[in-house]
Amino acid sequence: MIIAVLGEKGGTGKTTLATNLAGMRAGDGRDVLLLDADRQASASYWAEKRSHQHPQLPAVQSVQKFGEGLMRTVRAMERRYDDLLIDAGAGDSREVESALCVADVAIVPVQPAGLDVWTLGLIDDRVGEALTVNEILQAYVVLNRASPNPKDNDADEARQAIEGCTHLQLAPGMICDRVAVKRAAPAGLTVLEYKPVDAKAAAEMQQLYALAFPPRR
């Protein structure tokens, strides 16, 4: 499987979701490559931190690749690994275009607030363009860093905006703004590995994992 985590806007939590999915997939006994296509290199830092400080945990290999060579790298690496996770940089980039053209599933995290939601039309158009060459692509919007306060209605407003998209689907559930999610990634861990375990954060990430990697029948 090739999973791309991407978006038009920075700061939406793409790397956090990509690293969690990669670590959880490795924990299921899969040989995983985390392809860091973001020039900030946060995913590479996570993989390095994990390797050096937590050698007892399932390893996740990571490489950096940018620009036009991204698709060639994916095609070469998919023969060597069970699964590829692409952490694409934000904005109107070649990395985003390339990732959409090769991915089985695209995960688009947005924070349920105005500025993030406004970018969905741009991503929706790009997914539509990618579908002309990548017919199997499924693209999901994940509400990320949402308030756990049930009285907060930002998530409801974001859901309404997503309904206006043609090619993007709303992922079930959402990832709330929780301490475990914030602290796991800088430590080279997944939310499920971070101690003490936050059962709610773990359940939310497991729901995302099931969406990205549905069980085979």
Side-chain angles (χ1 to χ4, degrees):
M1 290 281 288
I2 301 174
I3 310 298
V5 186
L6 49 84
E8 289 286 344
K9 188 174 180 297
T12 59
K14 293 184 296 295
T15 299
T16 295
L17 299 190
T19 53
N20 270 277
L21 290 172
M24 293 168 70
R25 194 61 169 167
D28 274 350
R30 304 281 288 183
D31 195 6
V32 178
L33 176 68
L34 182 57
L35 210 164
D36 191 348
D38 188 336
R39 297 179 190 278
Q40 293 184 7
S42 298
S44 298
Y45 173 81
W46 175 88
E48 182 179 2
K49 186 95 169 181
R50 181 180 185 86
S51 174
H52 289 169
Q53 296 198 2
H54 310 285
Q56 78 282 6
L57 295 177
V60 175
Q61 302 300 317
S62 177
V63 297
Q64 288 184 275
K65 190 65 181 180
F66 314 110
E68 295 178 352
L70 178 61
M71 277 203 294
R72 290 195 298 272
T73 300
V74 170
R75 292 309 184 199
M77 293 297 182
E78 69 176 335
R79 295 192 291 267
R80 297 171 51 186
Y81 292 88
D82 296 326
D83 302 286
L84 272 65
L85 272 294
I86 304 172
D87 179 19
D92 187 17
S93 65
R94 292 176 179 174
E95 289 80 18
V96 169
E97 180 181 353
S98 297
L100 287 172
C101 287
V102 296
D104 298 295
V105 176
I107 302 294
V108 183
V110 298
Q111 297 182 85
L115 292 177
D116 278 18
V117 173
W118 290 344
T119 67
L120 289 177
L122 300 173
I123 283 290
D124 192 49
D125 290 342
R126 301 191 72 178
V127 170
E129 294 170 0
L131 283 167
T132 63
V133 295
N134 181 12
E135 296 179 354
I136 67 170
L137 174 65
Q138 298 183 68
Y140 298 97
V141 175
V142 176
L143 298 181
N144 191 37
R145 296 177 176 166
S147 171
N149 186 342
K151 295 182 179 180
D152 190 304
N153 63 358
D154 282 348
D156 292 334
E157 295 174 3
R159 292 187 185 99
Q160 292 175 10
I162 294 165
E163 289 176 358
C165 294
T166 302
H167 309 290
L168 292 169
Q169 305 174 61
L170 177 62
M174 58 186 179
I175 308 296
C176 289
D177 189 17
R178 303 186 189 280
V179 172
V181 178
K182 293 177 180 178
R183 294 182 178 176
L189 301 170
T190 70
V191 169
L192 277 68
E193 295 161 345
Y194 182 80
K195 306 298 181 190
V197 174
D198 182 328
K200 291 182 179 180
E204 291 166 0
M205 204 63 73
Q206 285 173 320
Q207 187 173 37
L208 176 63
Y209 180 84
L211 179 72
F213 301 103
R216 292 184 178 181
R217 296 182 180 179

